[in-house]
Every structure is written in C-alpha cells, then in structure tokens.
Amino acid sequence: VCDGMGGPAGGRVASQIAVSVYLEELEKLLTADQTPQQLLEASAQAAALANQAIQAEAERREECRNMGTTLVSAIVVVTNVGDSRAYHITEDGITRITKDHSLVESMVDRGDITAEEARRHPSRNLITRALGAEPVLLADCFDQNVAPGDYLLLCSDGLSNVVTDQEILYEVIHGGEDEACCQRLLDVALHRGAPDNVTVVLMRC
C-alpha cells in the first residue's frame, strides 16, 4: 500500500513508481528458501531502490520535485515507511504491527497528546519519513508471527484516521464475507467523510 504526497500529480507518480519498482525488485530478490532475516533484507533493499527511482524522477520533472509516498508491505515480514499501517488480526483481537513515522506519533510518544487526540490533530498528516524524501531510506521491518487463519490488513491513513482499530477488528472478524471486507471498510470511511485517499488490502494467512 502506497499513499502518495506532493500534490495530485506528484503523489500519483510517486506511488506508482514505488509499487512498480518495489514489486519488480522483490521478484528478483525472493527465493523459496529464504530465512526471515533474508526476507527483511530483500524487502528493505526493494524499498531503497524504489526510493532511488522516485528521487531520480523528481529531479527529472519539475512538477514532481516534492513528491514522495508512504509504503507498507507484507511478504511474511512487514516493511513500513510513513504512516500507512499494518495490523495483525485474530479472533482474540487486533494488534498494530507498524509505528507511524509522523509528527503526532512523536507527540503521543512524548505524552503531549493521547492516541485519540492524535486522530483529530490538525498536524496528523505531517509525516517524518517517506520514499523519495531522502537519498538514504530508513524503513522499519518486522518479522511478524502469524498462524493459519490469521489476517494481515494494510491500509493508508485515509482509513486509520476515521475508522478505529476496534471497528476494523469487528468488520474483519464479524462483518461478513472476507471478500467484501475491504469494501465495507471503505464504505465506513467514505460515509464519515474521509478527507484523504483510502486504500485497504486484507490477506488471510
């Protein structure tokens, strides 16, 4: 999941490049017998190459000079840059795997505001990391333990800013068929006037 920034044109270009290059590089790097650590390294390398591709395009095109994008991915391991999120969901509950790279998350960590206040804070969209923002990418990678039947949900902040973790949990576990879950979550977010793009991916392990 990539959530672009830098205006409509730049954000779209950055997210398209990120998805394309990240997936292309992963296909070259992944093998069937890799350890979790090797998967983490492969994902981080693919993200770094996507970052370089975005920066190269930004230098080439004046209208895309300030573009960038978040990225959250899962390939048994989870990789995150920015404030798009990954959740691990089971019948016992929901756990956020990733940590937002954002101004308000830093404020929550310091105790300046609560997590609930962060959802409504006027600076909630200011992120501190993104693909394309810096020459060297700093990504968080997680080796997440999942069991058969568990879910991994990836989403942009367009969902997580307007739909609570408990509401996500309910829709995934009790809302109905898995195939319609993303549409149900999208409908909730849009009904509440989601101010940003909403992207949701659900995987059942």
Side-chain angles (χ1 to χ4, degrees):
V1 170
C2 292
D3 186 10
M5 62 185 196
R12 182 168 55 252
V13 170
S15 57
Q16 288 173 344
I17 292 173
V19 170
S20 175
V21 174
Y22 180 79
L23 290 176
E24 181 181 333
E25 294 303 326
L26 271 186
E27 288 178 359
K28 298 175 186 175
L29 296 167
L30 294 182
T31 61
D33 58 349
Q34 284 175 310
T35 65
Q37 181 58 40
Q38 289 172 323
L39 288 171
L40 290 172
E41 292 169 359
S43 184
Q45 183 176 340
L49 291 168
N51 180 66
Q52 293 172 13
I54 292 168
Q55 286 215 311
E57 187 69 8
E59 290 176 6
R60 193 179 70 83
R61 296 171 59 178
E62 178 66 31
E63 71 274 20
C64 295
R65 189 57 51 88
N66 296 317
M67 71 179 178
T69 183
T70 69
L71 178 144
V72 62
S73 69
I75 48 165
V76 180
V77 298
V78 173
T79 300
N80 181 56
V81 181
D83 62 356
S84 293
R85 293 181 177 179
Y87 291 92
H88 179 204
I89 301 171
T90 71
E91 291 191 357
D92 294 327
I94 181 169
T95 302
R96 179 163 38 129
I97 301 169
T98 55
K99 185 175 182 62
D100 293 350
H101 304 132
S102 67
L103 177 63
V104 294
E105 188 87 341
S106 300
M107 295 169 70
V108 171
D109 288 345
R110 293 195 305 265
D112 296 340
I113 60 174
T114 67
E116 185 56 35
E117 288 171 333
R119 291 165 54 82
R120 302 185 302 271
H121 197 280
S123 298
R124 64 185 177 275
N125 291 325
L126 295 179
I127 58 176
T128 55
R129 292 192 211 170
L131 272 72
E134 300 290 343
V136 178
L137 181 69
L138 182 59
D140 289 346
C141 295
F142 306 87
D143 180 9
Q144 184 67 22
N145 258 338
V146 294
D150 290 0
Y151 295 89
L152 288 175
L153 184 139
L154 312 180
C155 67
S156 65
D157 66 333
L159 182 77
S160 57
N161 279 341
V162 296
V163 182
T164 68
D165 291 4
Q166 289 305 308
E167 288 171 326
I168 293 172
L169 172 65
Y170 177 84
E171 289 298 338
V172 172
I173 300 299
H174 304 295
E177 295 296 322
D178 291 350
E179 292 78 6
C181 182
C182 291
Q183 186 61 53
R184 292 195 305 272
L185 289 168
L186 178 62
D187 290 343
V188 172
L190 294 178
H191 179 72
R192 292 180 183 172
D196 203 350
N197 297 328
V198 182
T199 304
V200 190
V201 174
L202 180 69
M203 296 169 281
R204 187 164 190 173
C205 303

PDB file of all heavy atoms in Angstrom, residues 51-86:
ATOM      1  N   ASN A  51      12.871   4.037  -3.543  1.00  0.00           N
ATOM      2  CA  ASN A  51      13.188   5.383  -3.078  1.00  0.00           C
ATOM      3  C   ASN A  51      14.112   6.101  -4.080  1.00  0.00           C
ATOM      4  O   ASN A  51      13.883   7.265  -4.441  1.00  0.00           O
ATOM      5  CB  ASN A  51      13.865   5.295  -1.711  1.00  0.00           C
ATOM      6  CG  ASN A  51      14.226   6.647  -1.132  1.00  0.00           C
ATOM      7  OD1 ASN A  51      13.346   7.437  -0.817  1.00  0.00           O
ATOM      8  ND2 ASN A  51      15.514   6.924  -0.989  1.00  0.00           N
ATOM      9  N   GLN A  52      15.132   5.403  -4.548  1.00  0.00           N
ATOM     10  CA  GLN A  52      16.059   5.989  -5.515  1.00  0.00           C
ATOM     11  C   GLN A  52      15.363   6.334  -6.826  1.00  0.00           C
ATOM     12  O   GLN A  52      15.620   7.378  -7.430  1.00  0.00           O
ATOM     13  CB  GLN A  52      17.213   5.023  -5.773  1.00  0.00           C
ATOM     14  CG  GLN A  52      18.128   4.820  -4.573  1.00  0.00           C
ATOM     15  CD  GLN A  52      19.150   3.711  -4.802  1.00  0.00           C
ATOM     16  OE1 GLN A  52      19.338   3.253  -5.927  1.00  0.00           O
ATOM     17  NE2 GLN A  52      19.792   3.265  -3.737  1.00  0.00           N
ATOM     18  N   ALA A  53      14.453   5.465  -7.253  1.00  0.00           N
ATOM     19  CA  ALA A  53      13.735   5.704  -8.506  1.00  0.00           C
ATOM     20  C   ALA A  53      12.838   6.935  -8.399  1.00  0.00           C
ATOM     21  O   ALA A  53      12.731   7.726  -9.350  1.00  0.00           O
ATOM     22  CB  ALA A  53      12.902   4.476  -8.877  1.00  0.00           C
ATOM     23  N   ILE A  54      12.205   7.116  -7.250  1.00  0.00           N
ATOM     24  CA  ILE A  54      11.355   8.289  -7.047  1.00  0.00           C
ATOM     25  C   ILE A  54      12.199   9.558  -7.045  1.00  0.00           C
ATOM     26  O   ILE A  54      11.836  10.564  -7.664  1.00  0.00           O
ATOM     27  CB  ILE A  54      10.562   8.149  -5.730  1.00  0.00           C
ATOM     28  CG1 ILE A  54       9.531   7.023  -5.858  1.00  0.00           C
ATOM     29  CG2 ILE A  54       9.870   9.466  -5.354  1.00  0.00           C
ATOM     30  CD1 ILE A  54       8.911   6.618  -4.539  1.00  0.00           C
ATOM     31  N   GLN A  55      13.326   9.513  -6.363  1.00  0.00           N
ATOM     32  CA  GLN A  55      14.192  10.696  -6.330  1.00  0.00           C
ATOM     33  C   GLN A  55      14.711  11.045  -7.724  1.00  0.00           C
ATOM     34  O   GLN A  55      14.773  12.224  -8.092  1.00  0.00           O
ATOM     35  CB  GLN A  55      15.362  10.438  -5.384  1.00  0.00           C
ATOM     36  CG  GLN A  55      14.958  10.472  -3.907  1.00  0.00           C
ATOM     37  CD  GLN A  55      16.065  11.043  -3.046  1.00  0.00           C
ATOM     38  OE1 GLN A  55      17.205  10.631  -3.161  1.00  0.00           O
ATOM     39  NE2 GLN A  55      15.718  11.993  -2.193  1.00  0.00           N
ATOM     40  N   ALA A  56      15.053  10.048  -8.513  1.00  0.00           N
ATOM     41  CA  ALA A  56      15.552  10.297  -9.869  1.00  0.00           C
ATOM     42  C   ALA A  56      14.471  10.944 -10.735  1.00  0.00           C
ATOM     43  O   ALA A  56      14.744  11.879 -11.492  1.00  0.00           O
ATOM     44  CB  ALA A  56      16.029   8.991 -10.498  1.00  0.00           C
ATOM     45  N   GLU A  57      13.235  10.473 -10.597  1.00  0.00           N
ATOM     46  CA  GLU A  57      12.133  11.042 -11.377  1.00  0.00           C
ATOM     47  C   GLU A  57      11.815  12.460 -10.913  1.00  0.00           C
ATOM     48  O   GLU A  57      11.490  13.337 -11.723  1.00  0.00           O
ATOM     49  CB  GLU A  57      10.899  10.145 -11.262  1.00  0.00           C
ATOM     50  CG  GLU A  57       9.738  10.539 -12.160  1.00  0.00           C
ATOM     51  CD  GLU A  57      10.018  10.316 -13.636  1.00  0.00           C
ATOM     52  OE1 GLU A  57      11.060   9.708 -13.982  1.00  0.00           O
ATOM     53  OE2 GLU A  57       9.189  10.750 -14.468  1.00  0.00           O
ATOM     54  N   ALA A  58      11.908  12.698  -9.614  1.00  0.00           N
ATOM     55  CA  ALA A  58      11.653  14.039  -9.079  1.00  0.00           C
ATOM     56  C   ALA A  58      12.674  15.048  -9.597  1.00  0.00           C
ATOM     57  O   ALA A  58      12.341  16.210  -9.868  1.00  0.00           O
ATOM     58  CB  ALA A  58      11.673  14.007  -7.552  1.00  0.00           C
ATOM     59  N   GLU A  59      13.912  14.620  -9.759  1.00  0.00           N
ATOM     60  CA  GLU A  59      14.947  15.507 -10.291  1.00  0.00           C
ATOM     61  C   GLU A  59      14.727  15.779 -11.778  1.00  0.00           C
ATOM     62  O   GLU A  59      15.073  16.859 -12.280  1.00  0.00           O
ATOM     63  CB  GLU A  59      16.326  14.881 -10.075  1.00  0.00           C
ATOM     64  CG  GLU A  59      16.758  14.845  -8.609  1.00  0.00           C
ATOM     65  CD  GLU A  59      18.086  14.146  -8.415  1.00  0.00           C
ATOM     66  OE1 GLU A  59      18.719  13.789  -9.434  1.00  0.00           O
ATOM     67  OE2 GLU A  59      18.489  13.943  -7.254  1.00  0.00           O
ATOM     68  N   ARG A  60      14.121  14.836 -12.461  1.00  0.00           N
ATOM     69  CA  ARG A  60      13.902  14.962 -13.899  1.00  0.00           C
ATOM     70  C   ARG A  60      12.701  15.838 -14.230  1.00  0.00           C
ATOM     71  O   ARG A  60      12.683  16.527 -15.258  1.00  0.00           O
ATOM     72  CB  ARG A  60      13.707  13.571 -14.515  1.00  0.00           C
ATOM     73  CG  ARG A  60      13.770  13.525 -16.027  1.00  0.00           C
ATOM     74  CD  ARG A  60      13.585  12.111 -16.549  1.00  0.00           C
ATOM     75  NE  ARG A  60      12.223  11.642 -16.364  1.00  0.00           N
ATOM     76  CZ  ARG A  60      11.214  11.922 -17.187  1.00  0.00           C
ATOM     77  NH1 ARG A  60      11.410  12.690 -18.239  1.00  0.00           N
ATOM     78  NH2 ARG A  60      10.012  11.431 -16.960  1.00  0.00           N
ATOM     79  N   ARG A  61      11.678  15.831 -13.339  1.00  0.00           N
ATOM     80  CA  ARG A  61      10.424  16.524 -13.637  1.00  0.00           C
ATOM     81  C   ARG A  61      10.157  17.616 -12.597  1.00  0.00           C
ATOM     82  O   ARG A  61       9.929  17.318 -11.427  1.00  0.00           O
ATOM     83  CB  ARG A  61       9.269  15.530 -13.667  1.00  0.00           C
ATOM     84  CG  ARG A  61       9.388  14.506 -14.764  1.00  0.00           C
ATOM     85  CD  ARG A  61       8.361  13.402 -14.657  1.00  0.00           C
ATOM     86  NE  ARG A  61       6.995  13.912 -14.695  1.00  0.00           N
ATOM     87  CZ  ARG A  61       5.918  13.120 -14.654  1.00  0.00           C
ATOM     88  NH1 ARG A  61       6.063  11.807 -14.587  1.00  0.00           N
ATOM     89  NH2 ARG A  61       4.709  13.650 -14.688  1.00  0.00           N
ATOM     90  N   GLU A  62      10.162  18.844 -13.039  1.00  0.00           N
ATOM     91  CA  GLU A  62       9.975  19.990 -12.151  1.00  0.00           C
ATOM     92  C   GLU A  62       8.649  19.902 -11.394  1.00  0.00           C
ATOM     93  O   GLU A  62       8.572  20.226 -10.201  1.00  0.00           O
ATOM     94  CB  GLU A  62      10.020  21.287 -12.959  1.00  0.00           C
ATOM     95  CG  GLU A  62       9.793  22.545 -12.136  1.00  0.00           C
ATOM     96  CD  GLU A  62      10.921  22.804 -11.139  1.00  0.00           C
ATOM     97  OE1 GLU A  62      12.069  22.422 -11.444  1.00  0.00           O
ATOM     98  OE2 GLU A  62      10.636  23.374 -10.074  1.00  0.00           O
ATOM     99  N   GLU A  63       7.576  19.462 -12.055  1.00  0.00           N
ATOM    100  CA  GLU A  63       6.255  19.424 -11.423  1.00  0.00           C
ATOM    101  C   GLU A  63       6.149  18.352 -10.344  1.00  0.00           C
ATOM    102  O   GLU A  63       5.180  18.323  -9.576  1.00  0.00           O
ATOM    103  CB  GLU A  63       5.162  19.197 -12.479  1.00  0.00           C
ATOM    104  CG  GLU A  63       5.119  17.802 -13.106  1.00  0.00           C
ATOM    105  CD  GLU A  63       6.056  17.648 -14.305  1.00  0.00           C
ATOM    106  OE1 GLU A  63       6.996  18.454 -14.434  1.00  0.00           O
ATOM    107  OE2 GLU A  63       5.837  16.717 -15.093  1.00  0.00           O
ATOM    108  N   CYS A  64       7.151  17.473 -10.269  1.00  0.00           N
ATOM    109  CA  CYS A  64       7.131  16.391  -9.269  1.00  0.00           C
ATOM    110  C   CYS A  64       8.259  16.546  -8.250  1.00  0.00           C
ATOM    111  O   CYS A  64       8.613  15.595  -7.554  1.00  0.00           O
ATOM    112  CB  CYS A  64       7.259  15.032  -9.966  1.00  0.00           C
ATOM    113  SG  CYS A  64       5.859  14.616 -11.034  1.00  0.00           S
ATOM    114  N   ARG A  65       8.819  17.752  -8.154  1.00  0.00           N
ATOM    115  CA  ARG A  65      10.021  17.986  -7.354  1.00  0.00           C
ATOM    116  C   ARG A  65       9.850  17.583  -5.886  1.00  0.00           C
ATOM    117  O   ARG A  65      10.771  17.094  -5.253  1.00  0.00           O
ATOM    118  CB  ARG A  65      10.426  19.453  -7.468  1.00  0.00           C
ATOM    119  CG  ARG A  65      11.775  19.815  -6.874  1.00  0.00           C
ATOM    120  CD  ARG A  65      12.921  19.011  -7.479  1.00  0.00           C
ATOM    121  NE  ARG A  65      12.973  18.992  -8.920  1.00  0.00           N
ATOM    122  CZ  ARG A  65      13.592  19.874  -9.664  1.00  0.00           C
ATOM    123  NH1 ARG A  65      14.195  20.898  -9.102  1.00  0.00           N
ATOM    124  NH2 ARG A  65      13.616  19.751 -10.976  1.00  0.00           N
ATOM    125  N   ASN A  66       8.666  17.779  -5.311  1.00  0.00           N
ATOM    126  CA  ASN A  66       8.444  17.499  -3.883  1.00  0.00           C
ATOM    127  C   ASN A  66       7.626  16.239  -3.637  1.00  0.00           C
ATOM    128  O   ASN A  66       7.037  16.083  -2.571  1.00  0.00           O
ATOM    129  CB  ASN A  66       7.748  18.690  -3.221  1.00  0.00           C
ATOM    130  CG  ASN A  66       8.619  19.928  -3.242  1.00  0.00           C
ATOM    131  OD1 ASN A  66       9.807  19.857  -2.972  1.00  0.00           O
ATOM    132  ND2 ASN A  66       8.023  21.058  -3.593  1.00  0.00           N
ATOM    133  N   MET A  67       7.598  15.335  -4.591  1.00  0.00           N
ATOM    134  CA  MET A  67       6.756  14.152  -4.424  1.00  0.00           C
ATOM    135  C   MET A  67       7.412  13.125  -3.507  1.00  0.00           C
ATOM    136  O   MET A  67       8.627  13.100  -3.303  1.00  0.00           O
ATOM    137  CB  MET A  67       6.447  13.511  -5.780  1.00  0.00           C
ATOM    138  CG  MET A  67       7.617  12.814  -6.453  1.00  0.00           C
ATOM    139  SD  MET A  67       7.098  12.072  -8.016  1.00  0.00           S
ATOM    140  CE  MET A  67       8.651  11.383  -8.604  1.00  0.00           C
ATOM    141  N   GLY A  68       6.575  12.266  -2.949  1.00  0.00           N
ATOM    142  CA  GLY A  68       7.028  11.157  -2.112  1.00  0.00           C
ATOM    143  C   GLY A  68       5.850  10.248  -1.851  1.00  0.00           C
ATOM    144  O   GLY A  68       4.745  10.491  -2.336  1.00  0.00           O
ATOM    145  N   THR A  69       6.059   9.198  -1.089  1.00  0.00           N
ATOM    146  CA  THR A  69       4.963   8.283  -0.792  1.00  0.00           C
ATOM    147  C   THR A  69       5.276   7.449   0.449  1.00  0.00           C
ATOM    148  O   THR A  69       6.449   7.189   0.748  1.00  0.00           O
ATOM    149  CB  THR A  69       4.684   7.332  -1.979  1.00  0.00           C
ATOM    150  OG1 THR A  69       3.558   6.486  -1.669  1.00  0.00           O
ATOM    151  CG2 THR A  69       5.876   6.437  -2.286  1.00  0.00           C
ATOM    152  N   THR A  70       4.233   7.082   1.150  1.00  0.00           N
ATOM    153  CA  THR A  70       4.390   6.084   2.205  1.00  0.00           C
ATOM    154  C   THR A  70       4.464   4.707   1.551  1.00  0.00           C
ATOM    155  O   THR A  70       4.164   4.549   0.359  1.00  0.00           O
ATOM    156  CB  THR A  70       3.199   6.101   3.191  1.00  0.00           C
ATOM    157  OG1 THR A  70       2.025   5.606   2.507  1.00  0.00           O
ATOM    158  CG2 THR A  70       2.936   7.496   3.722  1.00  0.00           C
ATOM    159  N   LEU A  71       4.842   3.717   2.317  1.00  0.00           N
ATOM    160  CA  LEU A  71       4.804   2.332   1.848  1.00  0.00           C
ATOM    161  C   LEU A  71       4.624   1.419   3.042  1.00  0.00           C
ATOM    162  O   LEU A  71       5.317   1.579   4.053  1.00  0.00           O
ATOM    163  CB  LEU A  71       6.095   1.960   1.107  1.00  0.00           C
ATOM    164  CG  LEU A  71       6.201   0.504   0.614  1.00  0.00           C
ATOM    165  CD1 LEU A  71       6.931   0.438  -0.727  1.00  0.00           C
ATOM    166  CD2 LEU A  71       6.925  -0.397   1.621  1.00  0.00           C
ATOM    167  N   VAL A  72       3.678   0.498   2.955  1.00  0.00           N
ATOM    168  CA  VAL A  72       3.591  -0.589   3.926  1.00  0.00           C
ATOM    169  C   VAL A  72       3.330  -1.863   3.127  1.00  0.00           C
ATOM    170  O   VAL A  72       2.483  -1.892   2.237  1.00  0.00           O
ATOM    171  CB  VAL A  72       2.502  -0.350   5.003  1.00  0.00           C
ATOM    172  CG1 VAL A  72       1.107  -0.254   4.413  1.00  0.00           C
ATOM    173  CG2 VAL A  72       2.549  -1.429   6.079  1.00  0.00           C
ATOM    174  N   SER A  73       4.126  -2.896   3.402  1.00  0.00           N
ATOM    175  CA  SER A  73       4.018  -4.138   2.637  1.00  0.00           C
ATOM    176  C   SER A  73       4.153  -5.332   3.579  1.00  0.00           C
ATOM    177  O   SER A  73       4.690  -5.204   4.680  1.00  0.00           O
ATOM    178  CB  SER A  73       5.116  -4.205   1.568  1.00  0.00           C
ATOM    179  OG  SER A  73       6.389  -4.362   2.194  1.00  0.00           O
ATOM    180  N   ALA A  74       3.681  -6.474   3.113  1.00  0.00           N
ATOM    181  CA  ALA A  74       3.803  -7.710   3.899  1.00  0.00           C
ATOM    182  C   ALA A  74       4.114  -8.866   2.968  1.00  0.00           C
ATOM    183  O   ALA A  74       3.393  -9.109   2.006  1.00  0.00           O
ATOM    184  CB  ALA A  74       2.523  -7.990   4.671  1.00  0.00           C
ATOM    185  N   ILE A  75       5.213  -9.568   3.247  1.00  0.00           N
ATOM    186  CA  ILE A  75       5.592 -10.772   2.498  1.00  0.00           C
ATOM    187  C   ILE A  75       6.066 -11.808   3.513  1.00  0.00           C
ATOM    188  O   ILE A  75       7.136 -12.373   3.375  1.00  0.00           O
ATOM    189  CB  ILE A  75       6.707 -10.484   1.469  1.00  0.00           C
ATOM    190  CG1 ILE A  75       7.850  -9.678   2.107  1.00  0.00           C
ATOM    191  CG2 ILE A  75       6.174  -9.794   0.257  1.00  0.00           C
ATOM    192  CD1 ILE A  75       9.114  -9.672   1.284  1.00  0.00           C
ATOM    193  N   VAL A  76       5.285 -12.055   4.525  1.00  0.00           N
ATOM    194  CA  VAL A  76       5.637 -12.780   5.745  1.00  0.00           C
ATOM    195  C   VAL A  76       6.300 -11.807   6.717  1.00  0.00           C
ATOM    196  O   VAL A  76       6.003 -11.802   7.895  1.00  0.00           O
ATOM    197  CB  VAL A  76       6.532 -14.015   5.508  1.00  0.00           C
ATOM    198  CG1 VAL A  76       6.840 -14.700   6.842  1.00  0.00           C
ATOM    199  CG2 VAL A  76       5.874 -14.993   4.557  1.00  0.00           C
ATOM    200  N   VAL A  77       7.208 -10.969   6.208  1.00  0.00           N
ATOM    201  CA  VAL A  77       7.722  -9.862   7.017  1.00  0.00           C
ATOM    202  C   VAL A  77       6.988  -8.588   6.593  1.00  0.00           C
ATOM    203  O   VAL A  77       6.458  -8.508   5.482  1.00  0.00           O
ATOM    204  CB  VAL A  77       9.245  -9.678   6.851  1.00  0.00           C
ATOM    205  CG1 VAL A  77       9.979 -10.916   7.316  1.00  0.00           C
ATOM    206  CG2 VAL A  77       9.615  -9.338   5.420  1.00  0.00           C
ATOM    207  N   VAL A  78       6.951  -7.599   7.480  1.00  0.00           N
ATOM    208  CA  VAL A  78       6.247  -6.341   7.209  1.00  0.00           C
ATOM    209  C   VAL A  78       7.276  -5.214   7.109  1.00  0.00           C
ATOM    210  O   VAL A  78       8.184  -5.129   7.938  1.00  0.00           O
ATOM    211  CB  VAL A  78       5.234  -6.030   8.330  1.00  0.00           C
ATOM    212  CG1 VAL A  78       4.626  -4.646   8.139  1.00  0.00           C
ATOM    213  CG2 VAL A  78       4.143  -7.101   8.372  1.00  0.00           C
ATOM    214  N   THR A  79       7.150  -4.381   6.086  1.00  0.00           N
ATOM    215  CA  THR A  79       8.029  -3.226   5.896  1.00  0.00           C
ATOM    216  C   THR A  79       7.187  -1.969   5.903  1.00  0.00           C
ATOM    217  O   THR A  79       6.125  -1.926   5.273  1.00  0.00           O
ATOM    218  CB  THR A  79       8.794  -3.338   4.563  1.00  0.00           C
ATOM    219  OG1 THR A  79       9.586  -4.531   4.581  1.00  0.00           O
ATOM    220  CG2 THR A  79       9.711  -2.132   4.348  1.00  0.00           C
ATOM    221  N   ASN A  80       7.668  -0.917   6.593  1.00  0.00           N
ATOM    222  CA  ASN A  80       6.879   0.301   6.723  1.00  0.00           C
ATOM    223  C   ASN A  80       7.745   1.550   6.631  1.00  0.00           C
ATOM    224  O   ASN A  80       8.812   1.630   7.232  1.00  0.00           O
ATOM    225  CB  ASN A  80       6.148   0.309   8.074  1.00  0.00           C
ATOM    226  CG  ASN A  80       5.296   1.556   8.255  1.00  0.00           C
ATOM    227  OD1 ASN A  80       4.442   1.830   7.433  1.00  0.00           O
ATOM    228  ND2 ASN A  80       5.542   2.299   9.314  1.00  0.00           N
ATOM    229  N   VAL A  81       7.251   2.526   5.863  1.00  0.00           N
ATOM    230  CA  VAL A  81       7.825   3.871   5.804  1.00  0.00           C
ATOM    231  C   VAL A  81       6.648   4.835   5.761  1.00  0.00           C
ATOM    232  O   VAL A  81       5.818   4.753   4.860  1.00  0.00           O
ATOM    233  CB  VAL A  81       8.697   4.078   4.547  1.00  0.00           C
ATOM    234  CG1 VAL A  81       9.293   5.477   4.542  1.00  0.00           C
ATOM    235  CG2 VAL A  81       9.793   3.033   4.456  1.00  0.00           C
ATOM    236  N   GLY A  82       6.542   5.758   6.724  1.00  0.00           N
ATOM    237  CA  GLY A  82       5.449   6.712   6.734  1.00  0.00           C
ATOM    238  C   GLY A  82       4.334   6.316   7.691  1.00  0.00           C
ATOM    239  O   GLY A  82       4.579   5.628   8.683  1.00  0.00           O
ATOM    240  N   ASP A  83       3.105   6.734   7.374  1.00  0.00           N
ATOM    241  CA  ASP A  83       2.002   6.477   8.301  1.00  0.00           C
ATOM    242  C   ASP A  83       0.935   5.547   7.746  1.00  0.00           C
ATOM    243  O   ASP A  83      -0.170   5.475   8.293  1.00  0.00           O
ATOM    244  CB  ASP A  83       1.364   7.794   8.775  1.00  0.00           C
ATOM    245  CG  ASP A  83       0.755   8.599   7.637  1.00  0.00           C
ATOM    246  OD1 ASP A  83       0.889   8.189   6.458  1.00  0.00           O
ATOM    247  OD2 ASP A  83       0.142   9.642   7.927  1.00  0.00           O
ATOM    248  N   SER A  84       1.225   4.833   6.651  1.00  0.00           N
ATOM    249  CA  SER A  84       0.356   3.726   6.279  1.00  0.00           C
ATOM    250  C   SER A  84       0.643   2.584   7.257  1.00  0.00           C
ATOM    251  O   SER A  84       1.766   2.446   7.746  1.00  0.00           O
ATOM    252  CB  SER A  84       0.614   3.287   4.836  1.00  0.00           C
ATOM    253  OG  SER A  84       0.223   4.316   3.935  1.00  0.00           O
ATOM    254  N   ARG A  85      -0.374   1.772   7.556  1.00  0.00           N
ATOM    255  CA  ARG A  85      -0.248   0.829   8.670  1.00  0.00           C
ATOM    256  C   ARG A  85      -0.457  -0.630   8.266  1.00  0.00           C
ATOM    257  O   ARG A  85      -1.116  -0.936   7.269  1.00  0.00           O
ATOM    258  CB  ARG A  85      -1.282   1.169   9.748  1.00  0.00           C
ATOM    259  CG  ARG A  85      -1.038   2.484  10.440  1.00  0.00           C
ATOM    260  CD  ARG A  85      -2.086   2.737  11.505  1.00  0.00           C
ATOM    261  NE  ARG A  85      -1.833   3.967  12.245  1.00  0.00           N
ATOM    262  CZ  ARG A  85      -2.598   4.424  13.218  1.00  0.00           C
ATOM    263  NH1 ARG A  85      -3.671   3.735  13.604  1.00  0.00           N
ATOM    264  NH2 ARG A  85      -2.301   5.556  13.836  1.00  0.00           N
ATOM    265  N   ALA A  86       0.094  -1.512   9.096  1.00  0.00           N
ATOM    266  CA  ALA A  86      -0.182  -2.940   9.019  1.00  0.00           C
ATOM    267  C   ALA A  86      -0.737  -3.390  10.364  1.00  0.00           C
ATOM    268  O   ALA A  86      -0.216  -3.014  11.421  1.00  0.00           O
ATOM    269  CB  ALA A  86       1.087  -3.723   8.686  1.00  0.00           C
TER     270      ALA A  86
END
